Amino acid sequence: MKFIVNSSELLKELQKLSGVLSSGNTLPILDNFLFEFEEGMMNIVASDLETTMCTKLNVDTTDNGKIAIPAKLLIDTLKTFSSQPLTFLINESNFGIEINSENGLYKLSGQNAAEFPKTPIMSASTKANLNSIKFVNAINKTLFACGNDELRPVMSGMFCELSPEKITFVATDAHKLVKHIRNDFKSEFTKSFILPKKPLTLLKNTLNEDVDLQIEYNETNAMFSFNSTTVICRLIDGKYPNYEAVIPKENPNKLTISTADLLNSIKRVSIYANKTTHQIRLSIKGCELQISSEDLDFANQAEERLSCQYQGEDMEIGFNSKFMIEMLNNIGSDEINLEMSAPNRAGILLPLDGQEEDEETLMLVMPVMLNS
């Protein structure tokens, strides 16, 4: 088998796929890329059994067939070339591979492509279309709030709920929660599923242009197709918690403030907070917000005052500064509303600008008990 391909084009496609590769693969074959050839088209596949990513590339070949090529060795080799045509010669009897460049010859051993896991086939599936930029925006706003607890796998992914009126994305780790809604999306059916973090991170890193993204899903898998790339992932099995139940509906205490001022102040004050609890205290009186922290073990403490707009009763509430910083970094708004009902109830962050007409974002953070 023989094919000729441009080194830069091949490297660009392989770097997209390399995010799928895991360092601790149980099957050695998964350390390879699968190359499939058919009528001048090359399909390259990477898989870790849970997530499979494929991309197509035009190549100069008249052969049909397939071979598994070691991923790391191939990428490391391609990175050293300037843009040039490379000729690959593959011995189908012993899976030996020769790469000929303008001034060199490189030999490596491939593996039998028959050992590579089959790409999942989407049967009994439902399709929907979504703009790639809007989808990446939803990932950016929610993914950081996913949990890492292996005992609660349903909370380690992003919950997607499709309906005839909208699509809702939710992520939570039980301490913080993000709900992002797009009202310009229509689905024929009401359906929900939980997407794992890894394929979402892959999509976020790969979807860097404005394209039509096709989502296809069934009971076990979801497939995302755009341009010549496909990402297929196994859905997280289980029932997502009733997130609406934890969002307080009545929040009479409303604070409006510049996102950057609040974020920078929390960053500074949190340096002096207890390294275990990361606790900061927000004291609101009239139009003044006082942010303070202390670490009694080292006699450290810090305090800052900011002016703000505030409607409601004077109150003190404690938050984990790490969670607040993450939310303010991802909210994408110059000004925010912080809505609260009581010191022991969740605080709600709402963006006041930077939102499109058809999107809604709500971020929730659980309080931490203050030592009076």
Side-chain angles (χ1 to χ4, degrees), residues 84-183:
Q84 59 178 280
L86 299 176
T87 302
F88 284 69
L89 295 169
I90 295 156
N91 183 328
E92 293 179 71
S93 59
N94 66 3
F95 312 116
I97 301 159
E98 273 187 25
I99 306 173
N100 290 278
S101 70
E102 286 171 355
N103 47 11
L105 170 66
Y106 314 87
K107 293 185 178 181
L108 62 155
S109 297
Q111 281 188 266
N112 187 349
E115 293 175 24
F116 203 87
K118 297 276 182 286
T119 301
I121 294 167
M122 300 294 292
S123 56
S125 61
T126 307
K127 293 180 183 177
N129 281 27
L130 189 63
N131 175 270
S132 61
I133 302 294
K134 292 172 181 176
F135 185 66
V136 169
N137 183 37
I139 297 173
N140 285 334
K141 290 214 170 143
T142 53
L143 200 60
F144 75 91
C146 291
N148 294 312
D149 187 349
E150 289 177 7
L151 298 175
R152 291 193 282 188
V154 292
M155 290 166 80
S156 68
M158 182 171 85
F159 179 67
C160 294
E161 194 168 33
L162 294 76
S163 77
E165 296 82 39
K166 62 188 178 185
I167 181 168
T168 306
F169 304 94
V170 182
T172 184
D173 62 0
H175 302 288
K176 56 186 182 289
L177 178 147
V178 181
K179 180 171 81 165
H180 181 74
I181 297 171
R182 297 278 342 178
N183 293 308

Side-chain angles (χ1 to χ4, degrees), residues 30 57 82 104 127 189 196 219 222 240-241 287 292 330 347 363 370:
L30 297 177
L57 194 60
S82 56
K127 293 180 183 177
F189 310 96
E219 291 303 313
Y240 204 73
C287 292
S292 58
N330 288 285
M363 297 189 176
L370 290 168

Side-chain angles (χ1 to χ4, degrees), residues 246-289:
V246 299
I247 303 174
K249 301 294 181 273
E250 296 294 321
N251 302 293
N253 303 307
K254 293 179 170 58
L255 177 140
T256 306
I257 195 164
S258 152
T259 309
D261 289 353
L262 181 60
L263 176 60
N264 292 329
S265 186
I266 291 174
K267 278 181 179 174
R268 286 188 293 268
V269 170
S270 65
I271 296 168
Y272 294 81
N274 180 290
K275 296 295 175 276
T276 309
T277 63
H278 307 285
Q279 179 184 297
I280 54 166
R281 180 190 300 253
L282 272 57
S283 305
I284 314 154
K285 289 179 182 169
C287 292
E288 187 178 83
L289 166 65

Side-chain angles (χ1 to χ4, degrees), residues 35-248:
F35 284 69
E36 301 174 303
F37 307 95
E38 197 173 335
E39 296 163 6
M41 182 64 74
M42 176 165 73
N43 186 42
I44 316 168
V45 186
S47 176
D48 67 355
L49 294 181
E50 295 290 318
T51 304
T52 303
M53 192 170 180
C54 319
T55 186
K56 286 186 165 56
L57 194 60
N58 283 314
V59 291
D60 184 359
T61 184
T62 54
D63 296 328
N64 292 345
K66 47 189 178 180
I67 179 81
I69 304 180
K72 187 176 186 309
L73 189 57
L74 183 56
I75 285 181
D76 287 348
T77 306
L78 292 170
K79 279 179 181 173
T80 63
F81 290 125
S82 56
S83 184
Q84 59 178 280
L86 299 176
T87 302
F88 284 69
L89 295 169
I90 295 156
N91 183 328
E92 293 179 71
S93 59
N94 66 3
F95 312 116
I97 301 159
E98 273 187 25
I99 306 173
N100 290 278
S101 70
E102 286 171 355
N103 47 11
L105 170 66
Y106 314 87
K107 293 185 178 181
L108 62 155
S109 297
Q111 281 188 266
N112 187 349
E115 293 175 24
F116 203 87
K118 297 276 182 286
T119 301
I121 294 167
M122 300 294 292
S123 56
S125 61
T126 307
K127 293 180 183 177
N129 281 27
L130 189 63
N131 175 270
S132 61
I133 302 294
K134 292 172 181 176
F135 185 66
V136 169
N137 183 37
I139 297 173
N140 285 334
K141 290 214 170 143
T142 53
L143 200 60
F144 75 91
C146 291
N148 294 312
D149 187 349
E150 289 177 7
L151 298 175
R152 291 193 282 188
V154 292
M155 290 166 80
S156 68
M158 182 171 85
F159 179 67
C160 294
E161 194 168 33
L162 294 76
S163 77
E165 296 82 39
K166 62 188 178 185
I167 181 168
T168 306
F169 304 94
V170 182
T172 184
D173 62 0
H175 302 288
K176 56 186 182 289
L177 178 147
V178 181
K179 180 171 81 165
H180 181 74
I181 297 171
R182 297 278 342 178
N183 293 308
D184 53 357
F185 174 87
K186 304 287 179 277
S187 165
E188 287 179 49
F189 310 96
T190 298
K191 176 79 180 167
S192 62
F193 47 84
I194 307 167
L195 293 165
K197 255 189 218 170
K198 185 171 180 175
L200 290 170
T201 306
L202 282 170
L203 288 164
K204 185 175 98 164
N205 295 337
T206 315
L207 279 167
N208 45 20
E209 53 186 304
D210 194 339
V211 293
D212 201 27
L213 175 68
Q214 186 183 73
I215 305 172
E216 195 173 335
Y217 53 91
N218 58 20
E219 291 303 313
T220 52
N221 292 298
M223 180 166 84
F224 300 86
S225 310
F226 55 97
N227 296 342
S228 57
T229 304
T230 307
V231 176
I232 306 170
C233 66
R234 191 188 295 275
L235 298 173
I236 295 174
D237 192 26
K239 187 169 172 23
Y240 204 73
N242 179 6
Y243 62 90
E244 288 289 357
V246 299
I247 303 174

Side-chain angles (χ1 to χ4, degrees), residues 5-20:
V5 66
N6 178 279
S7 60
S8 301
E9 287 178 20
L10 180 57
L11 178 61
K12 185 183 167 193
E13 296 305 315
L14 295 185
Q15 283 177 323
K16 272 189 215 169
L17 300 180
S18 63
V20 178

Side-chain angles (χ1 to χ4, degrees), residues 309-324:
Q309 289 173 272
Y310 183 62
Q311 294 173 309
E313 297 175 5
D314 294 354
M315 74 181 293
E316 284 198 348
I317 189 166
F319 289 118
N320 180 312
S321 59
K322 280 179 72 178
F323 299 156
M324 288 294 284

